[in-house]
Amino acid sequence: MNELLTVAGLAIDVLTREGPRALVRDVGFRLNRGEALGLVGESGSGKTLTCRALVRLLPSACRVVAGKVTLSGAGDLLAMDERALTEVRGRRVAMIFQNPTSHLDPVMRIGEQIAEGLILHQGLDRSVARRRSIELLDEVGIADPAHTVDAWPHQLSGGMRQRAMIAAALACEPDLLIADEPTTALDVTIQAQIIDLLRRLRGTHGLAVILVSHDLALVGDFCERVAVMRAGRIVEAGETAAILAHPRHPYTRELIGSQPRLVPPGHYFPVSGAPAERAPRVKLGGGAPLLEVADLVVTFQRPRRVLDLVRRRPATYVRAVDRVGFALASGDALGIVGESGSGKSTLARAIVGLVTPSAGAIRLVGDERETPRYRRVQMIFQDPLSALNPRLSVAQTLTEPLIVHRLCRRAEVATRVAALMAEVGLDPALAHRRPRQLSGGQCQRVGIARALALSPAILIADEPTSALDVTIQAQILNLLIRLRAERQLALILISHDLEVVRRVCERVIVMRHGRVVEEGPAERIFAAPQAGYTRELLAAIPGTRGFSGGTPLAWQGVA
Amino acid sequence: MERFRFLIWRPVQMLPVLLGVTLVTFVLVRSLPGDPVRVLLGPRARPEMIAATRHQFGLDEPLPVQYLFFLKNLLAGDLGRSIMYRAPVFEVIAERLAPTFLLIAYALVLSILLATTFATLAARNEGRFADHLVRGFCTAGLGLPGFWLGILLIMLLSVRLGWFPVSGYGETWLGHLHHLFLPALTVAIALAPVLTRNLRATLIEQMGADHAQAARSRGLTEGEVFRRHVVPNALLPTVNLLGVNLGWLIGGTVVIESVFSIPGLGQLMVASIFTRDYMLVQGITLVFALTIVAVNLTVDVLTVALDPRVVL
């Protein structure tokens, strides 16, 4: 085989005030021409650092302390001088990144960013480089390349930005593309398109790819070989199919077990490699609904400029939520699924009362004066860190709602806070920590405890795990499943991840452009989707190849 | 061009602002104790002479009537007559306009040169000796009062070394530049540190930005990344800061012109306040206000030109 890249004994330190700390140790792998390697791991596992070290673009506090990175025809990249490196970057090894928005220069036209490598390093004429940019944009599937070449990054959608970034990376015909979480910031259908594009480019350009991802299913679809990283080391590596079917390392097993698609409905997500446990049955209310939403409309006014006022142009509105209706009984779990911009978060905010609906009704059972809305509906948020006041400790955060709403006497506050922390599985020792000193999972537990402090009957979780790693996601979802059963909570789970929703909720609403496109029992929707859009969403879920063969691992322990 | 449409409307929107400026100046200057006619005629003037002169300038009318007259004349392009100079305010101001604007432009050019040089030097050498040196200069420059520094520069460069004139404005263009160097430098030493610190910080921030990292990954050298991606992105905040400071600078010429005896608007403003020359004070304030409006408009145009995302 034709070897392209060999990494051996790579070690990276970060310089801290207390001296150097090891982040990556003894990482090694080989990559042949045209091959795809998946680098899988959770945040902090060192996968991104490893990739950046390959082209020596580490953050300034990090240093490569040992190792060799040999690129065929170029020698050891780690021993090269800066000048020679610029010859490798872009021409031999190119990179694309997680966030195409921040990785494109906002004040430079798309075409110029694609062409600059061609002009500066291959000495191409401006007009020739421009023509090449248009060709590249066409190749990455941009519908109107002759027009897009002169567009600014902010005029493109997220998916188009990622395509433009791929075009810029491919401009100088590299042999290796390092793709660092290239689809994490994108919607699931766009994600599928980008992955298809990368697959096609591998074929046409003979491109080798290192795909860095936390998403094992995605890697399983795309890569022939995979390396699993944890705490700066590769714990397991080999053929993708073999590893997915017979993982040897316990961490790999945990990672695979946490994949929502492998968890049977009505079960807890397996944690630390243990088989999935059956979740307690929830008594479904069935009878009188707790919450009724009827023909709900939420509109936002587009900003008006002075000129519009002068010319008496009428204000224009966007319908974020368009005639949505559903009912929720005690103990129900309703999943709301849709891509960004579908209005699912606005719907949640309207129910909690954070935005005012323009039309329609939100009816909550019970007397508003006796128990106001915020005592009956509570929400937990997507970004657990920014949803907490950074200046308040955990105990202070949980005390606040109790005091403000006079739910208990001062003397009882401490015991109530301790009970809440215990209920969401927070170590009492964390009571005086501030959000920044907590992990993402711990922050989300605080957010859940804060919502529970008011003993709501309905809990709305807006993408509660999309900022978290898979194993942490499993823990948080397990917590929600348990709380729902213990407290007879009605749960509304908003997610872009259909597999998660399917495992937690009995009923699902699919939203698009503010409207409900499909509604029904979760199992029916997944087995026989009616709306074209639902089918599209389901088809876009990664993992349809990697996990397809044989019985999924996690099901084996289930009777 | 669509994005520059605001140029049509912005001046119209500014009219109420300018109207407010005239009203505030009118009221303030008349609420000062003292009377221009008494200053003009001296302490031994006879009451009938005072009354006659007051009538001549329309100062015996009720205040609202005086204001409406002022506005009426303004619409006809007439700023009124200066009581002290016994000449149209417009002519008095026109004579003094050039030195002040030359001084401001000169100081601006020097500040920008100093700030871009030092900020680039500091940002490219972050945390190293050059950076610390630049930051030291900035702190020192911010701490020194302008008039004191001006006097110090006169003593050293003019009196001791005789390189620059002590005061005045000069006769020829070259003479102007020679005469105004020290006052412009004095202003620049106060202004440049503000700009340098801001520009240094945004340059460093942009050097670490994701898009700069992406450009490096495409094989651009550090210099190319700096020139093509870092600088264009870093200019925006500094341009806006410069706009704010330019307003302050226009007011600051009053002190500098006094220290260096430059026959400009600032000096004229001080003199006209002392003599309670109502019409002249109103005229100069209006010119200053117009200048600041123009500066803000320029900053808006630059912002729109530099950042494709901005829509005004």
Side-chain angles (χ1 to χ4, degrees), chain A residues 350-546:
Chain A
I351 296 170
V352 184
L354 292 174
V355 294
T356 318
S358 325
I362 298 168
R363 275 185 295 274
L364 278 160
V365 178
D367 185 6
E368 178 66 32
R369 269 162 305 178
E370 211 168 86
T371 32
R373 178 173 348 186
Y374 50 76
R375 296 269 317 271
R376 290 180 281 170
V377 190
Q378 276 294 309
M379 186 154 161
I380 54 182
F381 300 86
Q382 174 169 6
D383 181 350
L385 183 60
S386 67
L388 298 176
N389 184 337
R391 290 171 186 279
L392 297 186
S393 69
V394 173
Q396 285 167 328
T397 302
L398 299 181
T399 305
E400 191 178 62
L402 299 173
I403 299 293
V404 169
H405 299 303
R406 294 183 197 166
L407 291 184
C408 65
R409 274 181 275 125
R410 291 231 169 230
E412 298 167 19
V413 166
T415 37
R416 284 287 285 275
V417 167
L420 280 169
M421 287 181 68
E423 191 175 358
V424 298
L426 277 172
D427 183 349
L430 300 176
H432 299 292
R433 294 255 190 109
R434 276 165 223 288
R436 290 227 167 269
Q437 300 165 305
L438 301 173
S439 70
Q442 287 168 337
C443 279
Q444 197 56 291
R445 283 174 197 267
V446 176
I448 294 172
R450 181 177 60 182
L452 293 179
L454 297 176
S455 313
I458 303 168
L459 190 62
I460 302 182
D462 186 1
E463 302 265 10
T465 58
S466 56
L468 304 172
D469 281 321
V470 228
T471 52
I472 309 297
Q473 162 170 299
Q475 294 170 15
I476 295 294
L477 291 174
N478 282 348
L479 174 63
L480 289 177
I481 294 171
R482 178 166 62 78
L483 288 172
R484 178 186 163 209
E486 285 173 5
R487 287 191 169 229
Q488 274 294 303
L489 272 174
L491 184 68
I492 298 181
L493 179 66
I494 295 170
S495 181
H496 66 279
D497 189 336
L498 293 98
E499 297 289 351
V500 163
V501 167
R502 179 185 192 180
R503 264 62 198 188
V504 180
C505 305
E506 289 86 26
R507 216 146 51 82
V508 174
I509 288 178
V510 182
M511 283 183 76
R512 186 186 203 188
H513 301 326
R515 302 206 178 132
V516 174
V517 289
E518 188 159 5
E519 183 182 3
E523 281 318 305
R524 204 272 298 148
I525 285 193
F526 280 86
Q530 301 295 309
Y533 178 66
T534 314
R535 279 198 289 272
E536 206 179 306
L537 274 183
L538 287 171
I541 302 175
T544 37
R545 294 167 201 220

Side-chain angles (χ1 to χ4, degrees), chain A residues 254-294:
Chain A
E254 181 178 357
L255 214 52
I256 294 176
S258 311
Q259 296 292 324
R261 66 164 24 244
L262 299 181
V263 180
H267 286 72
Y268 282 122
F269 288 75
V271 173
S272 356
E277 252 177 80
R278 182 161 274 285
R281 282 204 176 278
V282 179
K283 203 165 69 219
L284 292 177
L290 268 181
L291 168 73
E292 271 183 303
V293 175

Side-chain angles (χ1 to χ4, degrees), chain B:
Chain B
M1 278 306 97
E2 172 80 8
R3 296 170 57 240
F4 288 96
R5 185 89 55 78
F6 71 95
L7 276 173
I8 305 168
W9 287 99
R10 190 57 60 81
V12 181
Q13 284 171 274
M14 280 299 132
L15 284 179
V17 175
L18 290 175
L19 193 71
V21 169
T22 61
L23 183 63
V24 170
T25 332
F26 184 89
V27 172
L28 280 184
V29 79
R30 275 168 181 75
S31 49
L32 283 174
D35 177 352
V37 178
R38 281 178 194 280
V39 178
L40 181 72
L41 299 179
R44 269 174 288 180
R46 285 198 308 278
E48 52 268 36
M49 244 185 95
I50 290 175
T53 316
R54 289 178 72 87
H55 181 72
Q56 187 196 335
F57 286 101
L59 296 174
D60 52 350
E61 302 280 352
L63 283 184
V65 177
Q66 282 189 41
Y67 183 63
L68 288 179
F69 266 119
F70 170 65
L71 283 188
K72 199 188 114 213
N73 290 336
L74 197 62
L75 282 179
D78 180 8
L79 289 171
R81 284 183 73 83
S82 160
I83 302 170
M84 290 302 134
Y85 290 84
R86 297 179 174 274
V89 165
F90 187 80
E91 283 173 22
V92 179
I93 290 179
E95 226 170 82
R96 306 287 200 107
L97 210 57
T100 300
F101 279 85
L102 191 60
L103 173 64
I104 292 172
Y106 204 167
L108 200 61
V109 170
L110 285 182
S111 306
I112 292 174
L113 281 179
L114 284 173
T116 45
T117 313
F118 280 126
T120 308
L121 189 70
R124 296 292 300 264
N125 296 291
E126 192 198 346
R128 276 179 277 184
F129 181 71
D131 187 21
H132 289 301
L133 202 65
V134 168
R135 291 166 72 183
F137 278 142
C138 286
T139 313
L142 283 176
L144 301 176
F147 62 91
W148 178 79
L149 193 72
I151 293 169
L152 219 65
L153 283 173
I154 293 178
M155 277 167 58
L156 179 70
L157 296 178
S158 305
V159 180
R160 272 284 170 81
L161 298 168
W163 289 356
F164 295 97
V166 175
S167 65
Y169 177 54
E171 300 297 324
T172 57
W173 264 102
L174 218 61
H176 295 332
L177 289 183
H178 192 205
H179 276 82
L180 289 183
F181 180 76
L182 281 188
L185 186 67
T186 309
V187 175
I189 287 174
L191 181 58
V194 183
L195 300 179
T196 308
R197 280 157 61 122
N198 182 267
L199 188 58
R200 173 189 170 273
T202 45
L203 281 174
I204 288 172
E205 182 198 311
Q206 288 297 328
M207 281 164 76
D210 286 344
H211 66 81
Q213 193 77 342
R216 285 183 198 107
S217 83
R218 292 197 296 267
L220 270 69
T221 62
E222 204 50 48
E224 286 163 346
V225 171
F226 194 78
R227 220 173 45 245
R228 295 177 57 90
H229 296 284
V230 172
V231 171
N233 275 286
L235 281 182
L236 267 172
T238 309
V239 165
N240 280 288
L241 185 71
L242 186 63
V244 174
N245 275 284
L246 214 55
W248 162 85
L249 186 60
I250 290 165
T253 54
V254 175
V255 177
I256 296 295
E257 286 180 9
S258 299
V259 172
F260 287 95
S261 317
I262 299 163
L265 279 187
Q267 230 187 20
L268 188 65
M269 177 74 135
V270 175
S272 62
I273 291 173
F274 275 128
T275 54
R276 308 287 185 271
D277 195 340
Y278 294 160
M279 289 300 167
L280 196 51
V281 175
Q282 281 162 206
I284 298 174
T285 316
L286 203 59
V287 170
F288 279 170
L290 271 174
T291 316
I292 287 176
V293 167
V295 164
N296 282 322
L297 199 62
T298 315
V299 168
D300 283 350
V301 170
L302 278 176
T303 308
V304 171
L306 284 172
D307 191 340
R309 291 164 294 183
V310 175
V311 175
L312 287 176

